[in-house]
Amino acid sequence: MTAPLRIAIAGLGTVGGGVLKALQLRAHELAERAERRLEVVAVSARDRSKKRAGDVSKAFWHEEAAALAGSEADVVVELIGGEGGSALALIETALANGKHVVTANKALLAKHGARLAAQAEKGNLALKFEAAAAGGIPIVKALRESLIAHGINSVHGILNGTCNFILTDMEKTGRSFAEVLKEAQALGYAEADPALDVGGGDTAHKLALLASLAFGTAPDLKHMHVEGIAHITQADIGYAREFGYRIKLLGVARRVGGGIEQRVQPAMVRAGTPLGAVDGAFNAVAVDAGEAGPFFFEGRGAGEGPTASAVIADIVDIALGSFEPAFGKPAHTLTPLVPAPEGTAASAYYLRFDVLDIPGVVAEIAGRLAEAQVSIESMLQRGRNPGEAVSIVMITHETPQLAVARALKSIATSDKVLGAPSMIPMEMG
Ligand code: NAP
Ligand code: HSE
């Protein structure tokens, strides 16, 4: 066997601890796969006294993560998190010092990925990030190496385990958003700042990486519509069920009108479709790969086990000397993303209006929708006592997003409508 691959791990939390544990528990099998031993020679975290998932006693402990870049390691595994700070400094210095890099840090890569990919290529080094998108699902490898023959038309899916866990639990148990979020944090699914999960930012980071791999563009967060799930109510979840749908936070990237549309937003997905059946912390990614056809990937999207699995797959690839450009093609050929013309994407929409239950209110809403050329497919209103607030829910026919937005702006000015209307696109499953 060749010399062991020497590994330094920065960050020993949910993911780093899981990687360390799996490398130790499965050392023999992984050495056979990698055709050499995988040896953790150095580690770093903030608190040396904390108990870790794996044994750190045989690795050199560095107080400063940056010191790992100067260690004897061949590969630096960055599992600290954060788009800049210690994580970025470590990756830049490790590459500068001729070390391969593996990271699960989508926030950092969505922002600095193209530049770091160029730096890695210059040094003939690997920059690998399978764990950064969709947890244990091997979607990065699939887009980077496998689905390349015919081009990709679209990539869309459930990319945040925390949000899917929250939406699934709220639907099944009726528990509150805040209560379920706490559980997702305790299970190790959420980011250090869970606002990134529930605000859609984490899905945006992952979508930027997948879009880059799919379309050969540099990761782009600027041309992306991003909404989270914090405004989704038990009422929306209940109405979705009545219409035969479930609410999922989706990331969608697709070719539209000569450009690329990227958006993150809650969507109504038909119950019983593959995407509509994805529950809990699972993720799923649907890829339209042109003549190769549609593909659907599903698996655990967050937590120790699946994420460690993806990190270790990258480490083994490096041990075997298999490393391609980080985004599938040389970094200098990644083109800037040309955004799709705004508002042209069309979809059917779920609309909810909280209104005063008085004569003429439905006619007024319907009239303003008609003025904007928005046609209604179905409607639901639960009666209360005359004069009380009530919700009116409508599903539209397929309509350009701009037309619906125009109609809602007009409807929001009505004195019969209370608060901002809610608008959720209906997506293919
Ligand atoms: P975590 O549990 O909060 O762990 C972070 C680790 O980094 C901790 O061990 C912490 O040390 C250490 N750390 C923080 N600042 C440091 C510094 N300046 N120098 C050295 N170590 C430092 O986070 P995580 O969930 O494992 O996530 C790590 C990365 O993986 C993030 O980029 C995240 O987005 C990504 N990721 C996470 C998941 C998941 O399911 N959790 C899935 C995919 C990707 P202490 O332990 O001493 O505090
Ligand atoms: N916080 C992320 C999630 C971790 O919930 O999906 C996996 O990337």
Side-chain angles (χ1 to χ4, degrees):
M1 246 187 217
T2 35
L5 184 79
R6 293 163 302 178
I7 301 164
I9 305 179
L12 297 170
T14 304
V15 186
V19 169
L20 187 67
K21 185 171 88 181
L23 285 174
Q24 288 165 350
L25 287 177
R26 304 234 332 127
H28 178 68
E29 294 84 347
L30 290 171
E32 283 179 346
R33 291 270 176 183
E35 297 174 11
R36 56 208 281 203
R37 278 193 304 113
L38 306 176
E39 195 177 305
V40 179
V41 293
V43 294
S44 177
R46 279 175 304 204
D47 180 354
R48 196 168 181 174
S49 66
K50 248 190 216 174
K51 188 166 163 29
R52 305 293 170 181
D55 175 16
V56 286
S57 64
K58 291 190 190 77
F60 193 91
W61 180 281
H62 290 269
E63 292 300 330
E64 293 295 328
L68 296 183
S71 70
E72 56 173 329
D74 306 300
V75 184
V76 168
V77 183
E78 183 280 306
L79 300 169
I80 297 172
E83 65 172 46
S86 308
L88 181 60
L90 173 61
I91 292 177
E92 284 172 341
T93 320
L95 291 173
N97 289 356
K99 302 197 185 299
H100 303 292
V101 169
V102 175
T103 178
N105 192 335
K106 53 267 170 163
L108 180 148
L109 288 172
K111 197 162 174 199
H112 306 286
R115 178 172 62 78
L116 294 172
Q119 192 186 344
E121 270 167 51
K122 210 170 142 201
N124 196 23
L125 296 164
L127 171 63
K128 288 189 157 275
F129 56 90
E130 185 61 70
I137 303 175
I139 188 65
V140 171
K141 197 175 188 107
L143 290 174
R144 190 184 58 219
E145 294 165 40
S146 306
L147 301 176
I148 54 172
H150 302 291
I152 305 283
N153 297 320
S154 68
V155 182
H156 76 281
I158 296 168
L159 301 176
N160 185 270
T162 302
C163 287
N164 207 50
F165 180 79
I166 292 173
L167 291 169
T168 307
D169 197 283
M170 281 174 74
E171 189 185 23
K172 291 196 169 156
T173 68
R175 285 199 296 163
S176 74
F177 184 93
E179 207 181 327
V180 191
L181 171 59
K182 265 198 198 133
E183 193 180 334
Q185 288 177 285
L187 289 166
Y189 301 153
E191 295 301 300
D193 174 7
L196 270 176
D197 295 291
V198 300
D202 179 72
T203 300
H205 295 146
K206 293 165 178 166
L207 186 67
L209 301 180
L210 296 186
S212 172
L213 290 158
F215 305 123
T217 50
D220 183 317
L221 288 169
K222 272 191 237 102
H223 301 103
M224 193 184 293
H225 170 87
V226 182
E227 267 176 62
I229 62 164
H231 62 289
I232 299 296
T233 62
Q234 279 291 358
D236 292 320
I237 290 172
Y239 288 125
R241 188 186 298 125
E242 287 194 46
F243 284 107
Y245 286 82
R246 303 181 75 195
I247 300 179
K248 300 285 175 194
L249 182 70
L250 298 189
V252 179
R254 61 184 164 203
R255 296 186 188 277
V256 181
I260 290 165
E261 177 199 22
Q262 297 187 114
R263 62 190 161 81
V264 173
Q265 68 190 139
M268 295 275 177
V269 180
R270 195 167 267 294
T273 59
L275 204 52
V278 176
D279 274 353
F282 276 67
N283 281 190
V285 187
V287 182
D288 173 354
E291 285 178 43
F295 292 86
F296 189 79
F297 301 79
E298 183 181 356
R300 288 191 186 277
E304 178 188 310
T307 317
S309 158
V311 170
I312 288 172
D314 281 346
I315 295 174
V316 170
D317 268 355
I318 291 172
L320 292 169
S322 155
F323 44 93
E324 312 66 29
F327 292 96
K329 59 198 282 240
H332 73 273
T333 68
L334 294 169
T335 53
L337 181 141
V338 175
E342 215 173 309
T344 48
S347 164
Y349 286 89
Y350 158 98
L351 308 176
R352 176 170 57 78
F353 308 96
D354 290 330
V355 300
L356 291 174
D357 193 6
I358 51 178
V361 64
V362 174
E364 183 174 334
I365 290 174
R368 294 194 190 195
L369 287 168
E371 271 167 31
Q373 305 290 312
V374 179
S375 124
I376 300 159
E377 190 207 83
S378 44
M379 196 192 104
L380 192 141
Q381 182 193 345
R382 288 277 131 77
R384 287 199 197 162
N385 295 323
E388 273 185 7
V390 70
S391 288
I392 294 177
V393 175
M394 294 174 172
I395 306 288
T396 73
H397 284 289
E398 186 165 300
T399 314
Q401 188 255 329
L402 261 188
V404 183
R406 203 179 312 126
L408 292 201
K409 203 169 163 197
S410 158
I411 291 166
T413 63
S414 164
D415 55 7
K416 300 185 187 78
V417 175
L418 309 166
S422 157
M423 162 183 169
I424 302 178
M426 326 283 287
E427 283 289 340
M428 58 199 160

